[in-house]
Amino acid sequence: MNDAAALSIARRAKPVIDVTVVLTEASFASTSVAPIEIFHSAGTLWNLFHGLSSEPRFRVKVASVDGARVTTLCALGLTPECGIEDIEETDLIILPASGLDVQDRIARTTSLLPWLRKWHDRGTYIAGICTGVAFLAECGLLDGRQATTHWAVADTLKARYPQVLWRPDQFVTEDGHVFCSGGVYASIDLSLFLVDKFCGHEIALKCAKSLLLSMPRSSQAGYAVLPLSLPHADSKIRETEEFLLAHLAEDMATETLAERIGMGARSFIRRFKAATGQAPGAYTQALRIASAKEMLESGKVPVALIAEKVGYADLAFFRRLFKRHTGLTPSDYRERFGRMTFERGALMPGRQAS
């Protein structure tokens, strides 16, 4: 066993885990504040509610690159306790989500990169949130490792960091001592995941219930609202797209679609793919799933009827296809993304952690 591995085991056995939350300019404030509050609450808030002695499980320090106050994306100022070079001991480092100009942020904070590599080499766990994972990729800490990020920037980061095993369908990934989360509010998922990892499931569950939070989600596939096709100016193909939308429940052969606009099948397929980025069959399937998602979100139409409305008579096949596209069954998708209710269920204060 090497020194770093032995050190990481010792850290996990510590009664109090030292965490450093790094503040960066133009970041999402919640991705710094939420982890701070969750780590502060672990072992304390539930105990306070139940008249028990407080048992803090994390000791949090807040640092900026140079020790100066930072201004977040929403013009909220955050003041650190110190600069990153003042940190003498840390078991876990949290990097917040930057804006979409994360590469510009990396260029302006180059001193952060060797500092991250130094602590990683010492066996410290490092977690990046949303676009903040780009700092980890720039350091080379994600090469050959699984990682996630927000679905909207996934393709950009894939192209820039091809050595990373990107999993943008996941909310949280863990590979070695490196953790990533897939969105701004996935900082909550990641923080609870880390409480669970370092302190055990019972403490994480009590922490979540005390703050009225759900335990970590596993997938972000259902949240991705991607355009069905690339922007294009091909009027004939646009006409075909509109026709498919109006006839979702009907099976349309490629030859039939081609004949409608006066083309041969092979030429039509090439032209359709050039315009939309997808073959006609794949496009139709994506269109049907997108329509099914809208119906599941907006009402209580039975799943079997939704399947028929979008062209699938075989309900079992529709369920498998829907899960392959979204990571969720139709019923689970509706439960998560349907019209909101204000029921708290298992998160009510009177319920006991199990």
Side-chain angles (χ1 to χ4, degrees):
M1 181 184 295
N2 60 36
D3 292 341
L7 182 59
S8 69
I9 292 173
R11 280 172 170 159
R12 278 185 285 177
K14 287 176 63 176
V16 179
I17 305 297
D18 285 295
V19 181
T20 301
V21 176
V22 179
L23 306 180
T24 57
E25 287 288 337
S27 61
F28 284 88
S30 62
T31 59
S32 297
V33 175
I36 291 169
E37 293 183 336
I38 288 172
F39 292 133
H40 271 300
S41 298
T44 62
L45 197 55
W46 178 271
N47 295 35
L48 176 64
F49 288 158
H50 291 80
L52 303 173
S53 298
S54 178
E55 298 180 5
R57 303 307 299 264
F58 295 89
R59 183 167 41 237
V60 183
K61 277 200 171 182
V62 182
S64 68
V65 174
D66 57 3
R69 184 175 182 268
V70 303
T71 302
T72 62
L73 273 173
C74 299
L76 176 66
L78 296 177
T79 303
E81 300 171 56
C82 61
I84 56 174
E85 296 301 337
D86 298 317
I87 298 298
E88 297 180 351
E89 181 177 3
T90 187
D91 305 307
L92 174 64
I93 294 169
I94 306 291
L95 288 175
S98 297
L100 295 179
D101 63 343
V102 62
Q103 298 303 329
D104 182 54
R105 291 292 134 202
I106 290 173
R108 296 186 188 192
T109 52
T110 53
S111 60
L112 179 60
L113 305 183
W115 184 80
L116 290 171
R117 285 193 291 264
K118 175 188 75 174
W119 282 105
H120 179 264
D121 291 344
R122 293 181 182 182
T124 294
Y125 292 81
I126 302 179
I129 297 169
C130 193
T131 52
V133 306
F135 284 93
L136 305 184
E138 187 72 20
C139 289
L141 300 184
L142 297 182
D143 288 354
R145 289 194 167 104
Q146 292 192 52
T148 190
T149 187
H150 194 286
W151 57 265
V153 299
D155 287 344
T156 300
L157 295 188
K158 281 180 183 177
R160 187 172 182 88
Y161 305 109
Q163 300 304 313
V164 181
L165 308 178
W166 292 105
R167 292 291 310 279
D169 57 308
Q170 297 298 305
F171 269 112
V172 174
T173 58
E174 174 187 4
D175 198 333
H177 287 184
V178 183
F179 306 88
C180 301
S181 73
V184 170
Y185 285 93
S187 60
I188 294 173
D189 294 282
L190 178 57
S191 299
L192 287 172
F193 177 85
L194 291 167
V195 173
D196 193 321
K197 180 175 182 66
F198 284 99
C199 306
H201 186 69
E202 182 180 358
I203 290 175
L205 187 58
K206 286 177 177 178
C207 183
K209 289 190 174 185
S210 297
L211 295 168
L212 295 184
L213 299 173
S214 298
M215 286 297 282
R217 301 160 287 179
S218 62
S219 170
Q220 63 172 312
Y223 291 87
V225 186
L226 298 172
L228 288 175
S229 68
L230 301 171
H232 66 82
D234 191 324
S235 60
K236 288 291 187 182
I237 299 303
R238 183 64 66 198
E239 178 187 334
T240 301
E241 291 180 90
E242 292 171 357
F243 178 79
L244 287 170
L245 180 60
H247 297 82
L248 275 180
E250 302 175 33
D251 287 325
M252 295 289 175
T254 299
E255 291 78 7
T256 302
L257 295 173
E259 288 174 7
R260 283 194 74 258
I261 58 173
M263 296 181 65
R266 289 184 179 179
S267 296
F268 169 74
I269 292 172
R270 284 195 299 270
R271 188 162 159 179
F272 191 95
K273 192 168 185 179
T276 68
Q278 300 182 78
Y283 178 92
T284 301
Q285 196 172 87
L287 185 63
R288 287 173 166 179
I289 295 300
S291 298
K293 287 166 68 174
E294 287 186 11
M295 285 186 262
L296 288 165
E297 290 166 11
S298 60
K300 295 185 177 180
V301 179
V303 173
L305 183 55
I306 290 175
E308 290 181 15
K309 284 178 176 288
V310 298
Y312 298 108
D314 186 334
L315 180 58
F317 176 78
F318 169 70
R319 284 184 171 133
R320 289 195 301 271
L321 183 67
F322 190 91
K323 188 169 184 179
R324 189 164 76 235
H325 275 260
T326 68
L328 300 166
T329 66
S331 297
D332 288 342
Y333 185 90
R334 169 177 276 155
E335 182 177 350
R336 180 170 295 177
F337 297 103
R339 290 175 179 168
M340 283 189 170
T341 68
F342 292 94
E343 297 174 5
R344 300 186 195 178
L347 298 181
M348 290 293 288
R351 303 289 181 89
Q352 296 297 309
S354 57

